[in-house]
Amino acid sequence: MRMNCLKLALRNLRYYLPHNLTTAAGIMVATAVIGGALIIGDSVRASLLKLVSDRLGKVEYAVIQQENYFRSALAGELAEKTKTDCAAVLQVEAFLASEHGAVKANLYGVSRDFFRLSPAGEEYPLPPDTVRLNRAAMQAAGIKTGETALLRILKPDRMPADIPMTSLDRATTALRVQCGEIISNSHFGDFSMANSQVLPVNIFVDREWLAEKLGIPGKANWLLATHGSNLAELTGALNKSITADDLGWKFSKLTDKEVELKCDRVFIPQQVVNAIDKLPPEHRLILTGFVNKIESGKFSTPYSFVCGMQDKSYPEGAEDCPNIWVSGWLAGDLSLRVGDKVRMAYYIISPLRVLVEKNTEFKVAGIYTLKDNQANRELMPDYPGMTDSESCRDWSTGLPIDTSLIRQRDEAYWDLYRGTPKAFISYKTAARIWGNRFGEATACRFSGKNTPQEISDKLLTQLSAQDLNLQWTPVLQDGLHGSRNAVDFGQLFLGLSFFVVAAALLLTGVLAGFNLEQRGRDILTLTALGWERRRIIRMLFIEHSAVVVAGAVCGIPMAVLYAKGLLWGIASVWSGATGQTRLFFKLNSATLLLTFAVSCAISLLVLLIVQSKFFKKRPLETASQQFSDLKCNRQWHKDIWLRTAGALLFPAAVIILLNPGQGQARAAIFFGCGSLLLTGSLLLCKFFVRRLPALFKNRRPGLILCGLRNCSRRPGRSLAAIALLSCGIFLITAVSVNRQGVLQDPARRAGGTGGFTLYIETALPVLADINTAAGRLHYHLDLPENTRFVQLCAAPGSEASCLNLNRVSRPRILGVVPEELASRFSFAGVIGKPSSPWELLNCDSGSNEIIPAIADMAVINWSLGRKLGDTIEYVGENGKRWKLLLVGGLENSLFQGSVLISRQNFLRMFPDISGSKVILADAAPADLKPLVSSLAKGLTVAGPQIERSALRMARYNVVQNTYLMIFLALGGLGLIIGSAGLGVLLLRNMLERLPEFAWMRAAGFSRRDLITMLLAEHLFIFICGLCCGIIGAAAAILPALSSPAGSPPWSELAIFFACLLLTAGTVTFLTACYASRLNIVASLRNE
Amino acid sequence: MNDSNNLLELSAVARSYPEPAGRIPVLTSIDLAVNPGEWVAVTGPSGSGKTTLLNLIALLDTPDSGSIKLDGREIARLPENQAAELRSLQLGMIFQLHHLLPQCSALENVLLPTVPAKIDSETAMERARSLLCRIGLESRMNHFPGQLSGGECQRVAVARALINSPRLLLADEPTGALDLHATDALLELLAGFHRDGMTILMVTHSERAAAAAQRRYVLSDGKLAQTL
C-alpha cells in the first residue's frame, strides 16, 4: 500500500462526497446554462442554414432581372455549354384573391428544369392553368386544395414607366386558376432569393402557360444555375449565348445599305451606345423626341416629333440657340424662313412622372422637302397607344393631350406621314435636351452592306453580359454568408444567461469555501505532519478537478434539456425574437466538448480563487472558525469613506457635467452611473457591517440589535449575500424597464416615425406623384386636406432589420428627396456637423462611385457590423460597382432594415427603376380612417400594405422586448439560484451557531426570542441587498422613465420583488424555526 | 541559556495578537532550553499561552520577536518549504484531539508523514507496522478513527508523530480528552519512547501528566518559570 497525494485525494473525495456533490451541483448548473446557450446557437444556425437549403436547393448562381425578359431557351443553351443544370424562371409580382381574402405573392412560372434544382431534385407535375401554392401562401390566402382563385398579375412591359409617353395605367391580367396540392419545401415550395428567415408566399405555375397569358411567349427573366457551376465558365457561356432577342434589340433592314437598331425599351442603353461607337460600320445615332408645340411668333404647331440625328449635315450651331432644319410642311405651317427663330416646348423625364415642361429656342438653318418613306416613319420610336393609332385624337399615352389643339392639318399629316419628324436638330443638341437616365438614343442606323445579324454579332462581341445587366449573382454564397453570420443566438443567450452562470458559480465558490473551512483542521494536521503547502494544494487540486469534471459531465445532459426548454420557449412565449421561424434542435459534439472545456476552466478558476483566498491565511487560521477579517487600521476606514464618496459622487458628476442628451450613449452613461452607485452602496454596506460591533458597544443589546450585530460575525458571508441580491435586483430592474411599447406620441417629428402617420409598401410601383392633383386624380384618391406624402424609390434587397435573423450584407436601398425629410427623425450619430443631417445625402463624396447613405444606427452596428464612415459595396444596374458611404445613423426609426440615399443617386444606380414602392403619409390622426380607406381603394392596383407607423415601430420593438423578457426570466432564475445559495449560507450559519443557540435557550431565551433575533439578522441582509440594488437601478432607469416610448414592466417587476421577499422571508423563517427547535442538552454536550 | 548542547533553545520569544483595542500580549519573554533526551512539561492556567508556545516551536506560528533554535539552527522565521521540511523530519506533533484524518485508516494515518519525507513505501510500511505493533494496535491498523476509542486514536497519533524518527516530540495537552485509564496508558507509552531516547516537550494542565516529566515549567503572565 502506498500513501500519496492522489490516494489521499481519492479518499477525501469519497469521504466528503455530500459536500463535493453540492459543489458539483453548482458546476452542473453553470455547465447546463453555458451548454444550453451554445446549443441554441447551433440550432438557430442550423435552422437558418436549412432554410437556405430549402429556399435555394441546388441553386448556386442566379441572374435576376425585373422587367428585362430574355429567351427561356437560354437556360438550355447554357446547360449544354457548361454541362450543368440550368433553369429559366418567369417571375412576376401578383395577387391571389379568393373568397377568404387576398395576398401579395411571388408568382413563378417554372418548368421541369426548375424542379431538378430543388432539394428533392426530382421533377414535379405542373399542369397549365393550375397553380401550386406553398404552405405560407395557402395559409395567408386561406385557400384549400381544389378551390379556385383569381390571380391578378401586372403585365410585363419593358418600357420604363417614368417615360411620360407610356401609359400610367399598367395593364394587369386577371386569371382564374384552380389551386393544386401544397408544394412542399423539398420541392422548392419555399423558393426565394430573399436572405430572410421569413417564409415566402409563393405560387407556381407552368412557365410557358404564364408567358402566353402575359403576351411574352418563350420568355423568362431569371436564370438559375446549380451547385458546382464554375462562375467564369457560366459567365463566358452566357456572354456567348446572348442574342439580340434576349436584349430586346430589333434590327431591321431599311434599305440595301442601311440597317436600323431599335430597342423595345425605347432608349438604347448607354453602354450599348458606347459599344456602337467602337464598331467599324458607319453609324448614326438618333434621338427623337415628342414636343408639345413648336411656335414662331403667333403661329404654333402642336404635338410633333423632332429628330436629333448624328450627321454632319446637321451641325449644332450656337449652344444657346442651336440649329434646326424644318420640313417644308412645318415651314408652311409656321411661315418660316431660314434664319427665323422658333421655340420648342417639351416635357423632360423626371421621377414619379412629374411633368416638367422645358423650352428651347432654335434658329432655322434650313428647310427640306418632306419625303414619306418607311425610313422616315421609323425615326419615331415605337410608343404603344400611339404608333398604331389611326388618328391623333386616338392617341393613348401617359401625356395629357389636349385634343382641342389638334387641327385638321395635324390629322392630315398623321394620315400621310404618321410619326415622321417635322424637323431635325443635331444629335448633340437632342442629347443635351432629351438625354436621360434610360439612354441618349432611340435608334441607330448603320451604313454599309452588313446584315443585321452581322451587326448584332459584332455589337455583342463588344459587350459582356455584365454590361447588359445580365450578371450571375452568387446567391448560395450570399445566403450561406447571411446564415453563418446571422444573429449569434449562442452569444446572445450566453449574455442573457450570464447572471444565472454567475449565480451558479458564486454558489459553487461559496460552497467550496465552506468545504475548505470545514477541513481546516485536516489541513492544519497535514501541515503539522510536515506536508508542504504546495503538496496540500496539489492534493486539493486533484480533488477539485475531479469535482469539476464530474459536475461538467453531469451538466452536459442537463444542457441538452435546458436547450430544448429554451427552444420551446423561443417557439412559444418568446416567438417575437425569431419571428415565427421554424427552429429545430441540433446537437454538435464539438459544442458539447467546448461546453465541457469552458465549464471546467471557469469552474476550476473559481475553485482555485477560493482555494487561494483560503491559503492566504496562516496555518493556524485555517483551522480556526473564529477568525475575523476585521481590519482595525484607521487608514482602512478612511479608504472606505474615500472610495464610497468617490463612487457616489462620480456618477453625479458625470450626469451633471456630461449632460447626456439623446441617443444610445445616454442609456449607457446612466447604466454606468447606476453601476457606480451600486458599487458605492455596497461599499457603504461593507463599512457599516464591519462597524456594527462598534456601534453597539457597551450597550445592553435587545434582540433586534443582537440580530443586527450578528451580521458582522462573518462579514464576508453577509456581504456576499448582499452583493448577490443587489446585483440581481439592479440588473433585472435596469434592463427590464428599457422595454419599448407602442409610441405614445407618433406625431413627434423627431421620433422614430418622423411624424408620419402611415407607412405604406406596395407590391407594384406607384408611378405618379400622389402629392399632385394629377397623381391623386389618376389613382382616384379622395384625401383629407393637408395630407402630404413622401414617396421613396425601392431597389430589391433583403431586410436588414432586427426582424431578420440573417446577416444581410447588402440591405434594400431606398431613394428619397432629402429635403422632404428635413427636421424629421433623430440621429444617433453623423459625420461632421451638418446643419441638417439629411443634407449629407446630397453632399459630394469626391468620387463618382461613392454615394452618401444613411441607415439606422442599430442596423449599421449590429446587422451590418459597420460604423459611420465605412462603406458597403453594391453592384448596380449594368454591373457597375458602387460604394455607399455611411454618413449618418438614425435612432430607431421606421427605416430599420433599409439604407437611404438621395433619389438622384438612386436613379444613377438603378436607372431602370421607376415609381415608388414605399410611401410615408403625414396626416392628422383624426383623418386616419378616411385616409386609410381612400389609399386602400385607390392604390389597389399597386397592392398596398398600409400600416400605422407607430405599430410598425412596435413590431421592431417586439424583438428587443422579447430579449428583455428572456433576460428577466433567466435573470429571475439566476436570482433563485442565488437565493438557494443564500439559503445554504443561512443554514450553514445556523449549524455553526447551534451551540450558541443552545446556550441561549438554556439561559432562558424563548423560541420566539431566537426567531426574532434571526429574522432581524437575515432580513437586514435582504433589505440592504434590496436597497443597494434599487439605488443602482434608480439611476440606470432614468432614461427609460423619461422616454415616451418606454413601457417598463412594473407589474412583472412587482411580482418578481414580491416573490423574492416571500422566498427570503420564508427561508429565513423556516431556518430560524429549525434552529429554535433543537435539543438543548444534546447541543451543549456536543460543545 | 546559551548552552550549545541544547536541542531546543528559546530566547526572549514574544508573541501577541491584534484586537480592535490594540495588541494583546500572550508571551512576553520566553526563555527555554531543552536538552536531548529530556522530557519537559510546561503547565499553566487556561489561556496562559501554552498552545501558542507549542505552535511557535512547531513553526505553525511566527514570534513577534526572539529566537528559536533547534540544534543550534535558528528556525523561528524559516521560509514555508524549509519549515515544512523541518516539521517532517525533525519534529513530531501530538494534539489534544488526536486530529486523525477520519477518511484514512490507522495505518494510513501513520503513513501520512512519510509522504513529504520521501521515504520509500516499503520502509515506511515496515516502520508504520512496527510502531502500531508497539502501541498495541497491530490488529486494528485497518480500522478507521471512527471505529477506535479516544485513547486508541491518541495512541495512533503518537505513532504518526514518531514515524519519521523526529528529534523532538511536541505534545499539546495529549491527555486532555482522555479518561484516567487512557491517560495512564498514553503516558506509559510516551515514557517508553522517552526511555528510548526521545526528547519530549509537553504542555499540559494535568498534574498527572506533568508528573511524568523530568522538568517542569509554569507559564504565567507570558513568562516561563521552572519549578522542579
Side-chain angles (χ1 to χ4, degrees):
Chain A
M1 180 200 300
R2 200 187 159 82
M3 195 60 191
N4 51 30
C5 257
L6 177 63
K7 187 164 181 185
L8 188 56
L10 292 173
R11 282 301 175 91
N12 291 339
L13 276 170
R14 205 168 74 176
Y15 186 78
Y16 293 108
L17 189 62
H19 302 91
N20 291 330
L21 283 177
T22 55
T23 308
I27 296 168
M28 209 161 60
V29 170
T31 307
V33 172
I34 293 169
L38 293 177
I39 293 172
I40 286 286
D42 285 348
S43 300
V44 170
R45 207 170 301 116
S47 303
L48 292 178
L49 284 171
K50 169 111 183 4
L51 283 173
V52 171
S53 166
D54 284 348
R55 66 178 182 83
L56 290 178
K58 298 184 178 65
V59 176
E60 190 171 355
Y61 297 101
V63 171
I64 300 170
Q65 297 288 290
Q66 296 301 315
E67 293 198 309
N68 289 331
Y69 300 94
F70 44 79
R71 298 167 299 125
S72 52
L74 195 55
E77 291 170 18
L78 289 172
E80 204 176 304
K81 284 186 174 122
T82 59
K83 307 283 181 242
T84 54
D85 282 332
C86 293
V89 176
L90 178 57
Q91 188 270 341
V92 286
E93 303 280 353
F95 278 93
L96 187 70
S98 71
E99 59 187 32
H100 307 290
V103 66
K104 175 193 149 196
N106 302 308
L107 176 62
Y108 297 109
V110 297
S111 63
R112 292 182 184 175
D113 49 4
F114 173 78
F115 292 107
R116 274 204 292 271
L117 301 181
S118 68
E122 51 194 34
E123 295 190 0
Y124 194 84
L126 207 57
D129 79 8
T130 300
V131 298
R132 292 266 200 267
L133 277 63
N134 70 345
R135 192 169 297 278
M138 282 282 203
Q139 283 171 354
I143 292 179
K144 294 191 180 63
T145 304
E147 288 182 359
T148 54
L150 192 70
L151 194 60
R152 184 177 285 280
I153 313 162
L154 186 71
K155 272 193 122 169
D157 191 342
R158 288 194 73 138
M159 213 173 296
D162 269 355
I163 297 176
M165 300 300 294
T166 60
S167 172
L168 201 56
D169 289 316
R170 290 287 298 272
T172 58
T173 297
L175 304 167
R176 191 153 290 279
V177 293
Q178 188 172 41
C179 298
E181 296 165 355
I182 291 180
I183 187 165
S184 67
N185 56 357
S186 63
H187 286 106
F188 252 162
D190 294 335
F191 173 72
S192 172
M193 289 293 156
N195 214 4
S196 166
Q197 81 278 6
V198 176
L199 291 176
V201 174
N202 288 343
I203 303 171
F204 298 89
V205 294
D206 179 73
R207 187 185 64 218
E208 290 313 315
W209 175 85
L210 179 63
E212 289 282 348
K213 293 292 181 190
L214 295 178
I216 47 168
K219 296 287 190 182
N221 56 350
W222 283 18
L223 277 174
L224 309 174
T226 187
H227 283 176
S229 314
N230 181 311
L231 180 60
E233 207 181 321
L234 275 175
T235 306
L238 186 59
N239 283 341
K240 286 179 191 152
S241 304
I242 295 171
T243 64
D245 190 21
D246 295 321
L247 302 168
W249 295 353
K250 292 179 205 164
F251 284 93
S252 53
K253 204 164 175 63
L254 295 175
T255 63
D256 283 340
K257 293 181 186 166
E258 203 168 43
V259 171
E260 183 183 69
L261 164 64
K262 273 187 175 178
C263 209
D264 60 3
R265 59 194 294 283
V266 177
F267 293 93
I268 299 175
Q270 193 54 38
Q271 59 274 21
V272 178
V273 168
N274 295 341
I276 288 171
D277 279 340
K278 293 177 194 165
L279 289 183
E282 260 189 52
H283 60 272
R284 293 178 294 166
L285 289 170
I286 291 161
L287 178 57
T288 303
F290 183 80
V291 301
N292 296 333
K293 61 184 171 194
I294 307 171
E295 56 188 3
S296 174
K298 57 183 180 177
F299 298 108
S300 175
T301 303
Y303 305 128
S304 310
F305 283 96
V306 172
C307 178
M309 184 168 285
Q310 192 179 39
D311 194 314
K312 47 185 186 240
S313 313
Y314 303 115
E316 191 181 8
E319 200 174 304
D320 58 341
C321 188
N323 292 331
I324 188 168
W325 288 262
V326 300
S327 63
W329 188 96
L330 185 64
D333 198 37
L334 296 177
S335 298
L336 294 172
R337 284 180 298 193
V338 172
D340 284 348
K341 297 252 175 85
V342 296
R343 183 175 287 279
M344 205 155 67
Y346 51 90
Y347 287 125
I348 58 167
I349 291 173
S350 58
L352 296 178
R353 299 173 64 103
V354 171
L355 293 174
V356 177
E357 192 174 78
K358 296 271 186 183
N359 287 276
T360 303
E361 198 172 62
F362 291 85
K363 180 178 161 193
V364 177
I367 300 171
Y368 62 91
T369 307
L370 188 60
K371 284 180 196 164
D372 175 34
N373 55 42
Q374 190 59 28
N376 283 338
R377 287 190 181 204
E378 287 294 329
L379 289 170
M380 172 191 157
D382 293 326
Y383 290 123
M386 193 179 240
T387 311
D388 299 328
S389 291
E390 288 301 317
S391 74
C392 298
R393 288 189 169 79
D394 291 337
W395 287 345
S396 172
T397 73
L399 287 172
I401 302 285
D402 183 357
T403 52
S404 66
L405 296 175
I406 299 172
R407 306 160 298 177
Q408 203 57 38
R409 264 178 79 81
D410 301 313
E411 290 285 8
Y413 183 93
W414 182 259
D415 284 340
L416 279 173
Y417 303 110
R418 282 292 193 263
T420 303
K422 290 177 183 144
F424 283 81
I425 57 178
S426 79
Y427 174 76
K428 211 170 167 185
T429 305
R432 184 160 41 83
I433 61 176
W434 292 324
N436 58 78
R437 67 183 201 259
F438 301 113
E440 291 181 349
T442 51
C444 183
R445 291 188 175 178
F446 299 89
S447 311
K449 288 188 180 168
N450 293 297
T451 64
Q453 187 62 50
E454 285 167 353
I455 294 173
S456 171
D457 291 343
K458 281 183 185 164
L459 200 50
L460 285 170
T461 57
Q462 298 293 325
L463 294 160
S464 67
Q466 196 168 315
D467 294 333
L468 301 164
N469 207 20
L470 290 169
Q471 56 219 335
W472 291 102
T473 306
V475 291
L476 178 63
Q477 186 183 317
D478 286 349
L480 291 175
H481 179 265
S483 299
R484 286 185 184 132
N485 293 287
V487 174
D488 191 335
F489 267 63
Q491 280 189 20
L492 181 68
F493 270 83
L494 271 178
L496 294 172
S497 315
F498 96 93
F499 193 68
V500 186
V501 175
L505 289 174
L506 189 65
L507 183 61
T508 302
V510 164
L511 291 170
F514 285 167
N515 296 342
L516 272 179
E517 280 177 19
Q518 196 161 17
R519 293 171 57 184
R521 282 242 177 258
D522 285 0
I523 291 169
L524 176 64
T525 302
L526 289 171
T527 307
L529 295 177
W531 278 51
E532 309 95 314
R533 183 153 278 204
R534 58 181 161 80
R535 194 181 296 273
I536 299 172
I537 289 171
R538 195 187 324 147
M539 177 196 74
L540 288 171
F541 180 80
I542 295 171
E543 286 179 52
H544 286 152
S545 300
V547 169
V548 161
V549 166
V553 165
C554 293
I556 297 291
M558 278 184 61
V560 172
L561 290 173
Y562 179 65
K564 288 195 170 175
L566 285 178
L567 265 183
W568 173 85
I570 291 170
S572 55
V573 292
W574 299 328
S575 58
T578 56
Q580 314 289 341
T581 307
R582 275 196 320 261
L583 295 176
F584 62 86
F585 183 79
K586 167 85 177 164
L587 200 56
N588 196 336
S589 52
T591 300
L592 296 179
L593 279 172
L594 178 66
T595 301
F596 177 78
V598 166
S599 176
C600 284
I602 55 176
S603 302
L604 209 54
L605 182 64
V606 166
L607 294 179
L608 286 175
I609 289 171
V610 169
Q611 191 177 286
S612 132
K613 274 189 79 173
F614 180 82
F615 278 102
K616 276 190 180 142
K617 302 176 207 171
R618 297 182 202 182
L620 285 177
E621 285 174 344
T622 62
S624 168
Q625 295 197 10
Q626 302 302 318
F627 89 96
S628 169
D629 55 355
L630 177 67
K631 294 182 187 178
C632 358
N633 191 327
R634 282 186 180 278
Q635 185 60 37
W636 181 86
H637 286 155
K638 280 187 193 167
D639 288 345
I640 281 288
W641 274 115
L642 283 171
R643 283 201 298 269
T644 308
L648 286 174
L649 282 174
F650 184 75
V654 169
I655 291 167
I656 293 163
L657 293 174
L658 289 186
N659 189 23
Q662 301 293 322
Q664 294 173 343
R666 178 182 160 94
I669 286 174
F670 275 102
F671 191 88
C673 290
S675 306
L676 288 169
L677 275 175
L678 172 68
T679 309
S681 308
L682 286 172
L683 285 173
L684 266 179
C685 274
K686 186 176 182 181
F687 178 76
F688 279 118
V689 164
R690 289 172 188 262
R691 290 282 294 166
L692 278 171
L695 288 175
F696 304 121
K697 201 174 167 182
N698 298 328
R699 276 193 221 182
R700 195 187 75 134
L703 287 172
I704 304 234
L705 285 179
C706 262
L708 295 182
R709 200 183 181 290
N710 285 335
C711 289
S712 64
R713 289 166 62 121
R714 300 302 293 264
R717 288 186 192 176
S718 302
L719 287 162
I722 292 170
L724 185 65
L725 270 171
S726 61
C727 287
I729 290 165
F730 167 71
L731 278 170
I732 288 165
T733 309
V735 175
S736 303
V737 293
N738 283 294
R739 194 170 76 173
Q740 298 289 317
V742 176
L743 281 180
Q744 302 304 315
D745 185 13
R748 199 166 67 98
R749 288 164 77 105
T753 61
F756 292 105
T757 324
L758 295 177
Y759 180 95
I760 304 151
E761 276 209 39
T762 58
L764 308 173
V766 170
L767 298 171
D769 184 348
I770 55 177
N771 285 308
T772 63
R776 293 185 185 190
L777 184 65
H778 172 75
Y779 288 106
H780 308 292
L781 293 172
D782 179 18
L783 301 173
E785 251 183 71
N786 299 327
T787 304
R788 294 292 304 163
F789 297 94
V790 171
Q791 290 174 253
L792 298 95
C793 319
S798 294
E799 161 106 25
S801 71
C802 55
L803 298 170
N804 188 358
L805 296 180
N806 291 279
R807 169 65 65 98
V808 173
S809 48
R810 280 175 284 277
R812 178 176 73 162
I813 298 177
L814 298 178
V816 68
V817 175
E819 291 78 13
E820 291 180 351
L821 294 179
S823 72
R824 292 188 189 257
F825 302 96
S826 294
F827 282 79
V830 291
I831 288 183
K833 290 181 182 174
S835 51
S836 166
W838 290 109
E839 286 304 316
L840 289 171
L841 292 181
N842 285 331
C843 281
D844 181 8
S845 61
S847 165
N848 209 30
E849 282 80 36
I850 297 179
I851 291 176
I854 287 172
D856 258 36
M857 190 61 109
V859 168
I860 293 173
N861 290 335
W862 303 112
S863 299
L864 300 174
R866 303 277 215 283
K867 57 184 190 309
L868 290 183
D870 288 349
T871 55
I872 313 171
E873 277 204 17
Y874 278 83
V875 176
E877 284 177 9
N878 310 322
K880 186 169 174 174
R881 294 193 172 274
W882 301 87
K883 284 185 182 172
L884 265 55
L885 173 67
L886 295 164
V887 296
L890 289 164
E891 197 176 312
N892 208 25
S893 76
L894 282 177
F895 299 120
Q896 199 183 125
S898 304
V899 172
L900 292 115
I901 61 176
S902 69
R903 184 185 285 166
Q904 191 178 1
N905 283 324
F906 182 95
L907 294 175
R908 285 172 58 213
M909 278 184 80
F910 307 103
D912 279 353
I913 293 181
S914 301
S916 64
K917 281 186 170 183
V918 175
I919 303 171
L920 306 173
D922 185 357
D927 297 331
L928 197 60
K929 227 174 168 179
L931 175 63
V932 170
S933 172
S934 181
L935 286 169
K937 200 171 163 191
L939 297 179
T940 301
V941 290
Q945 282 179 311
I946 304 171
E947 192 178 18
R948 277 183 53 207
S949 306
L951 288 178
R952 185 177 178 86
M953 291 299 300
R955 271 204 296 126
Y956 288 135
N957 291 336
V958 161
V959 176
Q960 180 179 310
N961 288 346
T962 305
Y963 291 151
L964 291 177
M965 266 172 63
I966 297 171
F967 182 78
L968 191 61
L970 295 178
L973 177 64
L975 216 49
I976 289 169
I977 293 172
S979 301
L982 283 177
V984 168
L985 204 134
L986 288 184
L987 200 57
R988 176 69 183 227
N989 282 348
M990 304 289 182
L991 291 172
E992 282 174 2
R993 289 156 63 186
L994 276 180
E996 173 192 325
F997 298 149
W999 174 85
M1000 289 177 76
R1001 290 296 312 283
F1005 286 82
S1006 67
R1007 281 181 47 225
R1008 192 175 162 174
D1009 293 336
L1010 216 55
I1011 292 170
T1012 305
M1013 187 185 75
L1014 289 167
L1015 277 174
E1017 179 182 340
H1018 294 103
L1019 285 179
F1020 174 73
I1021 291 174
F1022 176 77
I1023 289 164
C1024 280
L1026 192 64
C1027 291
C1028 290
I1030 287 174
I1031 289 170
I1037 66 173
L1038 281 174
L1041 292 178
S1042 59
S1043 165
S1047 171
W1050 296 123
S1051 52
E1052 285 97 322
L1053 282 171
I1055 293 169
F1056 169 72
F1057 286 130
C1059 287
L1060 199 60
L1061 184 63
L1062 193 63
T1063 309
T1066 307
V1067 166
T1068 306
F1069 182 74
L1070 289 175
T1071 317
C1073 284
Y1074 166 74
S1076 71
R1077 284 179 186 279
L1078 46 78
N1079 185 319
I1080 302 175
V1081 173
S1083 299
L1084 286 171
R1085 180 179 294 137
N1086 287 342
E1087 171 67 1
Chain B
M1 291 285 176
N2 287 326
D3 192 334
S4 59
N5 292 329
N6 291 333
L7 175 60
L8 177 70
E9 201 176 313
L10 275 71
S11 299
V13 168
R15 183 73 173 101
S16 59
Y17 291 108
E19 288 297 321
R23 293 190 78 86
I24 295 179
V26 178
L27 305 172
T28 51
S29 184
I30 301 292
D31 295 308
L32 174 67
V34 178
N35 295 315
E38 268 197 309
W39 184 341
V40 175
V42 176
T43 60
S46 194
S48 58
K50 301 186 297 296
T51 300
T52 303
L53 176 65
L54 218 60
N55 286 336
L56 287 172
I57 297 168
L59 307 182
L60 294 174
D61 199 0
T62 311
D64 295 337
S65 59
S67 135
I68 302 174
K69 288 183 181 173
L70 185 72
D71 250 347
R73 179 187 169 201
E74 177 61 50
I75 62 169
R77 292 166 192 84
L78 284 178
E80 169 56 33
N81 52 342
Q82 288 182 35
E85 191 186 353
L86 208 73
R87 284 195 291 270
S88 168
L89 299 174
Q90 307 286 341
L91 303 172
M93 185 133 186
I94 311 168
F95 299 93
Q96 179 178 357
L97 295 173
H98 61 81
H99 289 169
L100 297 182
L101 298 191
Q103 62 269 33
C104 297
S105 66
L107 178 62
E108 286 163 352
N109 267 287
V110 172
L111 285 170
L112 279 174
T114 63
V115 174
K118 297 188 177 64
I119 299 172
D120 68 275
S121 72
E122 267 188 40
T123 311
M125 192 60 85
E126 203 183 303
R127 281 194 205 174
R129 285 185 199 279
S130 163
L131 276 166
L132 283 166
C133 199
R134 182 160 174 181
I135 64 175
L137 288 175
E138 192 182 356
S139 59
R140 309 290 297 278
M141 67 173 68
N142 291 321
H143 286 211
F144 288 84
Q147 297 166 309
L148 303 172
S149 69
E152 287 168 338
C153 286
Q154 197 63 307
R155 282 189 275 158
V156 171
V158 170
R160 182 178 68 179
L162 296 175
I163 189 159
N164 287 342
S165 307
R167 299 291 308 279
L168 176 65
L169 178 65
L170 303 169
D172 185 2
E173 305 270 10
T175 62
L178 303 178
D179 59 26
L180 204 56
H181 179 72
T183 297
D184 287 340
L186 185 74
L187 289 173
E188 182 53 41
L189 186 64
L190 287 175
F193 285 113
H194 176 245
R195 281 193 292 274
D196 292 342
M198 177 58 59
T199 311
I200 303 176
L201 175 61
M202 179 175 69
V203 299
T204 181
H205 63 261
S206 160
E207 265 306 313
R208 206 177 179 85
Q214 290 169 308
R215 273 198 294 143
R216 283 173 67 169
Y217 288 86
V218 174
L219 185 54
S220 178
D221 294 329
K223 290 197 170 81
L224 212 55
Q226 187 168 0
T227 54
L228 287 172

